Amino acid sequence: GKTDKIFDPGADISRGDFIIMLVKALGLSARIESNFDDVKASDYYYEALGIAKKLGLAEGTGGNKFNPNVKITRQDIIVLADRAMKLVKKVNESKSSHDLST
């Protein structure tokens, strides 16, 4: 939800919020050694983005930036979800697009 009393399932999701959900859903963890230049230690998504960066899940948008407050695109969701599923070994690289139809 957006607050303790507001749930807005139709709202857009930011890039930072999606990373938080992905990291939490998959139980990912890592020692954070660095983060993106546009992410401050005081940001609520700092830890999740640091984990995602360390594990190679999030590569950013170039120039060591992530743009965490920008609305995430469907394309970015698919790329991040694919990397995450490979990271936790839920998807085999040898599978084909035909496997998705089943």
Side-chain angles (χ1 to χ4, degrees):
K2 290 189 161 195
T3 69
D4 290 342
K5 296 181 181 182
I6 297 175
F7 179 62
D8 189 3
D12 292 331
I13 299 171
S14 71
R15 294 169 51 81
D17 287 340
F18 183 76
I19 290 293
I20 290 172
M21 291 186 287
L22 199 55
V23 166
K24 285 184 178 185
L26 296 174
L28 302 176
S29 63
R31 183 178 174 158
I32 301 169
E33 297 174 0
S34 66
N35 217 318
F36 296 98
D37 291 340
D38 55 352
V39 177
K40 297 180 283 194
S42 60
D43 292 333
Y44 68 94
Y45 42 72
Y46 178 86
E47 183 178 8
L49 279 169
I51 291 168
K53 183 178 182 185
K54 174 70 177 180
L55 297 177
L57 177 61
E59 296 177 357
T61 59
N64 200 38
K65 306 269 187 201
F66 189 77
N67 295 330
N69 296 310
V70 173
K71 175 182 147 182
I72 194 164
T73 65
R74 289 182 182 136
Q75 293 85 351
D76 286 342
I77 289 171
I78 295 302
V79 167
L80 291 166
D82 178 61
R83 285 185 196 149
M85 298 310 274
K86 288 175 182 171
L87 184 67
V88 297
K89 300 188 182 358
K90 296 289 183 189
V91 173
N92 186 330
E93 297 262 354
S94 67
K95 301 288 182 175
S96 71
S97 60
H98 173 73
D99 296 320
L100 294 175
S101 66
T102 59

